[in-house]
Amino acid sequence: MRSRGLTIAALIFLFLASAGAQTPSKSPTTTGSQSDTIRIDTKALVTPFPHFWEQMFGSGRAVLAMRDSYRDDLRTVKHATDFQAIRFHAIFHDEVGFFDLDSNGHPVYNFSYINQIYDGLLANGVRPFVELSFMPLKLASDPAALHAFWYRPNISPPKDYVLWDGMITAFVEHLVERYGIDEVSKWYFEVWNEPNLDFWGGKPAQSTYFELYNHTALAIKRVNNRLRVGGPSTAQAAWVEAFLEHCRQAGVPVDFVSTHVYGNDTAKDVFQTDEVIPRDQMVYRAVRKVHDQIAASSLPDLPLIFSEYNASYANEPNVTDTVYMGPWLANTIRQCDGLTEAMSYWAFSDVFEEQGVVKTPFYGGFGLMAVNNIPKPALNAFAMLHQLGDRRFPVDSDSALATRRSDGSIVIALWNYAPPFGTGAKYTPPPPDPGPSRTFTLKINGVAANARAQLWRLDADHGNVVKTYDAMGRPAFPTHDQIVALRTAAKPSPPEGVFLKNGTLSVRIPPQGLVLVKINSARVAR
């Protein structure tokens, strides 16, 4: 995750997005409802629908993984999504205490915190996706090259690649010895973080990063060829074509491609164009771009992992804290299906200190969990979409996903996407008239005509802790009783029981609302 300030282009984008929030393209800001009819044939051919959006999450830096609050949030998100891997910065940062030099300049390795960090993840059923960063001070070519993050990581290249290669070898050999090659061969090793931004001090940035990649990948493969290594871990979906061509020409191993994108990245940064790409389209456009670049390369079968994504790279409380995330997430999943092996939502928890100690629970943090173990609406969205099946039906709609689960149940997601009510760091309360609702009429073929279904909702009045927080006056430091009340308000809305009529079901969804409909297998006609 980056810390850079907003560029002029980004500010222009945010202004336009804000303007868009006031004048939705499909309808003026009046009460009323749009109507959509969606036909679903449950006997139609289906396509595989792997849950690529919930296999992996990002988090605050490595050392935070030893805190109880971090592990409490991890267990909550694991329960909701059954995610498999986690990625964080700074496993080599000095506060982890891994690397030192003795008085003769020889390396000394201390695995105490490394073991506690990875033992804690594995004990909770989560594997590390190992981002190899940042530079230990005594190995840095420029000890003064500190990033602006609150914990001040060093971003310079190593002063000696013999020492760097030796450190990577010792680190990976220890992991294999402690956890076994069968386990560690299921991990990923990603070289650095966003070297195209201010996280890498090498000059020129690209060629010096490629040198770092060469040394790191070869050192890992010398330990065991079964270990997986990849990159370039860039921001803004950058450098992928050059990286793959470099690996081909240099004969350097690469097992996967990783890069990042955020919904408020600009077209100038991602595509080098002057387009205004809406927040609900940017992630898909970037994923499509990189997918096509890999397909056209000399390594067309490499897996693509977006090791960071979210609707915003900045702290925007009207975005990542609110129910806006439900439709945004569902629509991003719909668009990116089939283009990427995994996407890592940044991040699972607001136990997170890149800009310092958290000052208030709802400040636009990236996490699914606010501080004090309070679930945000985004967690409820992930939990709802976790119920989708692993086979997808074709549906002629940009606001629906229809799936079949392995038990035969039919699960359908519907949403009414509307832009956030505000942008930037300042929170904007919901307006009196948030915009039009949409009424979806589902006509489902292949189920009992009067089948009973369950329906879950996420919107302004369901599963929305921010409504309660607003009513409290948005206290920066909630009392114990207020924290208990917020946790209660954050719970997902209980399912509603509904019946189809002649195979038809109508569902009204307010703006920024997400609905999940489930028809159990016993009620599906064969």
Side-chain angles (χ1 to χ4, degrees), residues 49 52-53 309 328-337 382 385 388 392 401:
F49 189 55
F52 60 92
W53 67 91
Y309 82 102
W328 182 87
L329 178 64
N331 195 42
T332 299
I333 292 168
R334 178 188 68 83
Q335 296 172 102
C336 295
D337 176 29
F382 268 96
L385 297 170
L388 289 169
R392 180 178 174 183
L401 281 165

Side-chain angles (χ1 to χ4, degrees), residues 172-248:
V172 176
E173 284 182 339
H174 173 79
L175 298 178
V176 171
E177 179 181 353
R178 184 174 182 83
Y179 303 111
I181 186 60
D182 288 343
E183 169 61 31
V184 182
S185 64
K186 297 172 183 171
W187 302 10
Y188 293 85
F189 292 89
E190 182 187 47
V191 180
W192 213 254
N193 174 69
E194 300 189 346
N196 59 320
L197 298 184
D198 57 356
F199 289 96
W200 178 241
K203 297 184 186 311
Q206 190 177 85
S207 61
T208 56
Y209 171 76
F210 288 168
E211 182 181 18
L212 178 82
Y213 182 84
N214 293 355
H215 279 270
T216 308
L218 292 172
I220 290 171
K221 291 294 187 178
R222 279 194 292 268
V223 174
N224 194 302
N225 198 47
R226 292 172 60 190
L227 299 172
R228 297 183 288 196
V229 62
S233 189
T234 39
Q236 301 157 350
W239 287 11
V240 169
E241 289 177 308
F243 173 72
L244 292 177
E245 180 59 18
H246 164 77
C247 291
R248 185 190 69 80

Side-chain angles (χ1 to χ4, degrees), residues 36-156:
D36 301 74
T37 297
I38 298 175
R39 300 179 187 278
I40 300 171
D41 181 0
T42 64
K43 296 180 179 179
L45 290 176
V46 294
T47 54
F49 189 55
H51 285 202
F52 60 92
W53 67 91
E54 60 176 359
Q55 295 302 303
M56 176 176 152
F57 286 88
S59 88
R61 69 190 192 279
V63 75
L64 299 178
M66 294 191 295
R67 291 189 187 171
D68 286 344
S69 55
Y70 180 104
R71 293 179 178 179
D72 287 345
D73 285 356
L74 185 152
R75 284 187 281 270
T76 299
V77 177
K78 173 74 176 178
H79 178 75
T81 66
D82 194 29
F83 75 104
Q84 300 298 307
I86 199 161
R87 172 184 179 272
F88 43 68
H89 306 321
I91 194 66
F92 296 151
H93 188 40
D94 286 279
E95 64 187 348
V96 177
F98 167 52
F99 181 86
D100 201 356
L101 294 174
D102 66 16
S103 58
N104 296 316
H106 297 141
V108 178
Y109 306 113
N110 181 345
F111 296 99
S112 294
Y113 280 3
I114 297 275
N115 292 345
Q116 290 184 47
I117 290 167
Y118 291 151
D119 286 358
L121 298 183
L122 294 170
N124 284 290
V126 176
R127 292 191 169 101
F129 182 103
V130 183
E131 176 201 304
L132 298 164
S133 70
F134 289 102
M135 196 61 62
L137 277 179
K138 290 187 178 179
L139 186 49
S141 58
D142 181 4
L146 304 181
H147 190 269
F149 277 170
W150 184 65
Y151 60 93
R152 307 290 284 167
N154 187 280
I155 47 87
S156 69

Side-chain angles (χ1 to χ4, degrees), residues 289-354:
K289 181 188 92 166
V290 180
H291 170 272
D292 292 350
Q293 289 175 338
I294 296 172
S297 76
S298 59
L299 299 165
D301 297 325
L302 281 181
L304 169 59
I305 297 174
F306 267 74
S307 53
E308 288 186 22
Y309 82 102
N310 199 322
S312 178
Y313 62 76
N315 294 141
E316 297 188 88
N318 283 95
V319 179
T320 49
D321 287 345
T322 70
V323 296
Y324 165 80
M325 293 303 295
W328 182 87
L329 178 64
N331 195 42
T332 299
I333 292 168
R334 178 188 68 83
Q335 296 172 102
C336 295
D337 176 29
L339 300 177
T340 175
E341 179 157 308
M343 296 176 69
S344 180
Y345 185 89
W346 189 263
F348 85 90
S349 168
D350 280 351
V351 178
F352 192 94
E353 297 175 345
E354 290 182 351

Side-chain angles (χ1 to χ4, degrees), residues 428-479:
T428 302
D433 178 3
S437 298
R438 291 178 71 176
T439 299
F440 293 87
T441 300
L442 300 177
K443 294 183 177 296
I444 308 173
N445 179 44
V447 303
N450 60 346
R452 186 175 187 276
Q454 290 177 293
L455 187 151
W456 288 261
R457 294 182 183 273
L458 173 66
D459 55 45
D461 297 317
H462 299 85
N464 179 23
V465 65
V466 175
K467 181 178 180 179
T468 300
Y469 187 63
D470 286 355
M472 289 178 178
R474 298 182 67 85
F477 306 102
T479 65

Side-chain angles (χ1 to χ4, degrees), residues 2-57:
R2 72 209 72 165
S3 66
R4 62 190 169 89
L6 295 179
T7 64
I8 293 175
L11 289 169
I12 292 172
F13 170 80
L14 291 174
F15 171 79
L16 292 171
S18 178
Q22 297 169 21
T23 55
S25 59
K26 289 189 175 182
S27 175
T29 54
T30 59
T31 55
S33 179
Q34 301 173 0
S35 297
D36 301 74
T37 297
I38 298 175
R39 300 179 187 278
I40 300 171
D41 181 0
T42 64
K43 296 180 179 179
L45 290 176
V46 294
T47 54
F49 189 55
H51 285 202
F52 60 92
W53 67 91
E54 60 176 359
Q55 295 302 303
M56 176 176 152
F57 286 88

